[in-house]
């Protein structure tokens, strides 16, 4: 079975950051980034600024947080603002795809051996999540204040004093990387370098780790996060301690089990719905799922011996990079033309219409589908 690094292009941020923007090497790397998102909806990033130690510190803290009693976690829920900060407990989010006809058509078009685990029951996901906002407050009155709410700091001793510094440190590592990928993608698409990055200058970016209890939900083929796309612009992941993330390559319809190289400073970036809208479908939001598979179970057994006493919880270190809520989301004409040519042979995608709307409205529309908003 192929590894991720053999299946997805690896984009070298070190080249982009160390060489002149007009150099052939940087231009090639930028084209490679844009082409990877067009073809696969995902790419792997090498970034020497990323610290494995920071990721480990972050994962330890999030494991400890979600190992708390449920009544302590409930104090950090904010359902009145659609869970856009604080904790979302298990069995709250539903995979939109289970009742979304275009998405079901995509599953039906896949080879049966490449399809995701069955989500037709539309059961909520058994994962928990914590959202920590990492955006810059807009210097104007936003139409979408609920998407720009203040952060929640957990109060438990041993967690509260480390929380903000740990979240900010790891969050900024991923934010810096994904904003550089936004710049590279813009250049590769023939846009000004800052076009996408500036559109997200006041985005309600979220560090959004998910947690899945592998004692409670550790049976093989358990769906931890059902087949779905992300509603934001670009999503970036650090290395998880447990395998289980599968992504689908747009060009082949093949399921790719995500396996980071065993060591090294790598991150995974996936395209979300906002960049799909902005590019008129030239870049498509990448489908993915998180499941308990054989590889997950092997790591569970190994960690029981090597990390006795640690919580048996699968954490994903995930950062959702958004466009600004008040940004006018409208497809770029020259990219829409390329998208129409690129998609002409793909019947499942032909009828998509990307209407002009504010990003905040697009987010609210998506939240209704996943049952986080009435």
């Amino acid at each position: 079975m192929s590894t991720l690094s053999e299946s997805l292009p690896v984009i070298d941020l070190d080249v982009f950051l160390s060489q002149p923007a007009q150099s052939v090497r940087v231009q090639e790397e930028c084209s490679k980034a844009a082409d990877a998102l067009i073809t696969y909806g995902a790419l792997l990033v090498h970034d020497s600024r990323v610290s494995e130690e920071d990721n480990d510190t972050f994962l330890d803290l999030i494991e400890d947080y979600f190992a708390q009693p449920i009544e302590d976690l409930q104090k950090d829920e904010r359902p009145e603002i659609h869970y856009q900060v604080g904790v979302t407990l298990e069995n709250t989010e539903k995979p939109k795809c289970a009742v979304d006809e275009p998405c079901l058509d995509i599953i039906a078009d896949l080879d049966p051996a490449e399809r995701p685990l069955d989500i037709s029951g539309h059961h909520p996901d058994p994962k928990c999540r914590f959202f920590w906002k990492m955006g810059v407050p807009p210097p104007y009155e936003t139409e979408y204040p609920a998407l720009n709410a203040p952060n929640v700091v957990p109060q438990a001793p041993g967690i509260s004093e480390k929380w903000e510094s740990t979240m900010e440190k790891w969050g900024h590592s991923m934010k810096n990387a994904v904003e550089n990928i936004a710049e590279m993608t813009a250049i590769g698409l023939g846009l000004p370098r800052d076009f996408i990055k500036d559109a997200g200058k006041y985005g309600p970016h979220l560090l959004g780790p998910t947690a899945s209890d592998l004692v409670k939900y550790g049976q093989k083929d358990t769906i931890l996060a059902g087949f779905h796309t992300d509603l934001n612009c670009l999503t970036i992941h650090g290395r998880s301690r447990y395998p289980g993330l599968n992504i689908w390559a747009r060009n082949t319809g093949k399921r790719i089990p995500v396996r980071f190289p065993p060591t090294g400073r790598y991150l995974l970036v996936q395209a979300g719905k906002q960049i799909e809208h902005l590019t008129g479908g030239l870049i498509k939001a990448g489908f993915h799922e998180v499941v308990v598979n054989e590889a997950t179970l092997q790591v569970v057994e190994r960690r029981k011996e090597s990390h006795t006493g640690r919580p048996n919880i699968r954490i994903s270190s995930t950062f959702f990079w958004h466009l600004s809520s008040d940004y006018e989301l409208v497809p770029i004409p020259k990219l829409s033309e390329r998208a129409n040519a690129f998609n002409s042979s793909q019947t499942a995608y032909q009828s998509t219409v990307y209407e002009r709307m504010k990003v905040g409205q697009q987010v609210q529309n998506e939240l209704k589908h996943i049952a986080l908003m009435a």
Side-chain angles (χ1 to χ4, degrees), residues 18-289:
S18 65
Q19 298 191 21
Q22 295 308 315
S23 71
V24 172
R25 185 83 197 281
V26 167
Q27 292 293 315
E28 286 175 350
E29 208 67 18
C30 291
S31 295
K32 187 176 167 186
D35 290 346
L37 291 179
I38 291 167
T39 306
Y40 299 96
L43 53 82
L44 198 60
V45 184
H46 178 260
D47 184 354
S48 292
R49 300 170 300 179
V50 173
S51 161
E52 287 287 305
E53 186 181 344
D54 289 349
N55 190 36
D56 283 336
T57 300
F58 173 79
L59 294 174
D60 284 344
L61 179 66
I62 305 300
E63 285 177 1
D64 290 339
Y65 173 77
F66 280 106
Q68 294 182 103
I70 188 83
E71 54 270 22
D72 289 336
L73 296 175
Q74 286 171 333
K75 296 172 186 173
D76 299 331
E77 284 187 296
R78 299 294 184 271
E80 69 278 7
I81 51 171
H82 326 306
Y83 304 94
Q84 285 304 287
V85 292
V87 75
T88 305
L89 295 179
E90 60 190 51
N91 300 317
T92 301
E93 292 185 29
K94 293 182 178 180
K96 171 190 169 185
C97 194
V99 291
D100 184 57
E101 207 156 308
C103 184
L104 294 173
D105 289 344
I106 288 168
I107 294 175
D109 283 345
L110 292 171
D111 184 286
E114 302 296 340
R115 287 175 187 164
L117 291 183
D118 187 18
I119 55 170
S120 57
H122 199 45
H123 301 297
D125 290 334
K127 70 177 187 297
C128 302
R129 187 193 296 287
F130 197 101
F131 273 150
W132 180 260
K133 202 187 75 166
M134 294 207 59
V136 175
Y140 47 79
E141 190 173 346
T142 175
E143 289 181 40
Y144 305 96
L147 301 177
N148 294 274
N151 275 322
V152 175
V153 178
Q155 294 308 301
I159 292 176
S160 62
E161 56 267 34
K162 295 186 287 190
W163 189 264
E164 187 164 357
S165 61
T166 302
M167 299 294 271
E168 290 289 322
K169 191 171 188 183
W170 181 242
H172 277 293
S173 290
M174 292 205 288
K175 186 182 182 188
N176 290 337
V178 77
E179 288 187 341
N180 289 145
I181 289 296
E183 291 176 301
M184 294 180 75
T185 301
I187 293 169
L189 291 172
L191 303 171
R193 172 177 175 155
D194 293 328
F195 187 92
I196 299 172
K197 185 179 174 182
D198 282 355
K201 185 174 184 179
Y202 301 113
H205 313 305
L206 294 162
L207 179 56
T210 59
S212 303
D213 184 342
L214 294 176
V215 175
K216 195 172 178 182
Y217 300 110
Q219 296 78 25
K220 188 172 184 290
D221 292 337
T222 298
I223 301 171
L224 302 176
F227 187 72
H228 69 287
T229 57
D230 291 340
L231 62 84
N232 52 299
C233 184
L234 294 168
T235 301
I236 187 162
H237 305 265
R239 190 192 306 276
S240 177
R241 289 172 172 163
Y242 298 89
L245 173 62
N246 294 321
I247 67 174
W248 274 261
R250 170 194 188 172
N251 64 327
T252 63
K254 299 290 185 187
R255 183 198 298 113
I256 302 173
V258 173
R259 294 189 185 88
F260 279 76
T263 58
R265 298 161 189 251
Y266 292 93
L267 300 162
L268 173 76
V269 173
Q270 291 177 277
K273 296 298 281 188
Q274 290 170 7
I275 199 167
E276 176 176 330
H277 202 124
L278 196 62
T279 63
L282 179 61
I283 293 172
K284 282 283 181 180
F287 282 96
H288 51 286
E289 68 175 1

Side-chain angles (χ1 to χ4, degrees), residues 63 214 240-244 296 299-300 303 311-315:
E63 285 177 1
L214 294 176
S240 177
R241 289 172 172 163
Y242 298 89
T296 320
V299 174
V300 167
R303 284 187 64 85
N312 198 354
I313 300 173
R314 184 193 188 277
I315 305 297

Side-chain angles (χ1 to χ4, degrees), residues 326-339:
D326 298 273
Y327 182 78
E328 192 81 23
L329 196 55
V330 59
I332 298 161
K334 69 175 181 179
L335 299 184
S336 291
E337 290 171 16
R338 283 181 63 188

